Amino acid sequence: MKVPPILSFLFVAVLATACGTSDATHQGHVPGAAEMGNEHEGPAGAVQLNNGQPWDANIESTDGVNAMLALVKNYDPANGDGAVLKKELVAEFSEIFAKCTMTGVAHEQLHNYLAPVHEMLDKLGTKPSAAELSELSAYLGSYGNYFH
């Protein structure tokens, strides 16, 4: 699904005020890729390590990524409903942003890590292919390489 430019703009505006708060009104927010970098420096870049070590992440981010990974791994393409899978993945993804308490460079790097997840979720259809599921699973599984 391609996000219209106006929606991407609205996503950017919402994240600029939402990230770092746990206000329940932001729980349905699905941030766009352009907003997931440092809000003052533009789009996200490649995720980097903290001097060769993983960044400290808040437990809500770690739990959210692990929940998304479990959803993908437990999905049965033969019998599962791809629309439900996507809805559940987007809900978990949104929760990560709703409960975002990280700050500084670690926060920026989390956004850099999440930008490709957003892109994968955007492309995920109602009948996800094995390749899409494998790519998403492998990427979500790499979270521990960058955060603990």
Side-chain angles (χ1 to χ4, degrees):
M1 174 176 98
K2 183 150 173 93
V3 177
I6 189 70
L7 288 179
S8 292
F9 174 77
L10 291 173
F11 289 149
V12 171
V14 171
L15 181 67
T17 60
C19 198
T21 70
S22 59
D23 186 338
T25 63
H26 301 297
Q27 290 182 0
H29 170 68
V30 180
E35 70 185 286
M36 288 190 282
N38 181 327
E39 296 85 31
H40 307 291
E41 294 181 16
V47 64
Q48 302 291 315
L49 291 171
N50 183 9
N51 296 315
Q53 299 297 314
W55 297 95
D56 290 330
N58 65 331
I59 191 66
E60 294 85 0
S61 295
T62 301
D63 288 350
V65 170
N66 288 335
M68 291 176 72
L69 182 58
L71 285 168
V72 173
K73 284 186 172 184
N74 294 328
Y75 179 73
D76 178 8
N79 299 312
D81 184 336
V84 171
L85 173 65
K86 183 171 183 173
K87 181 179 178 181
E88 291 172 343
L89 288 168
V90 168
E92 289 293 341
F93 187 78
S94 296
E95 276 296 300
I96 293 170
F97 284 88
K99 296 178 178 179
C100 180
T101 60
M102 294 171 62
T103 60
V105 178
H107 173 256
E108 294 169 22
Q109 294 306 316
L110 178 65
H111 284 249
N112 289 346
Y113 174 83
L114 292 171
V117 176
H118 179 265
E119 292 171 14
M120 287 181 242
L121 291 177
D122 261 358
K123 294 176 186 174
L124 199 62
T126 57
K127 297 201 184 285
S129 70
E132 288 173 316
L133 294 171
S134 178
E135 178 186 23
L136 184 55
S137 179
Y139 189 79
L140 291 170
S142 74
Y143 177 84
N145 297 340
Y146 303 103
F147 301 95
H148 58 86

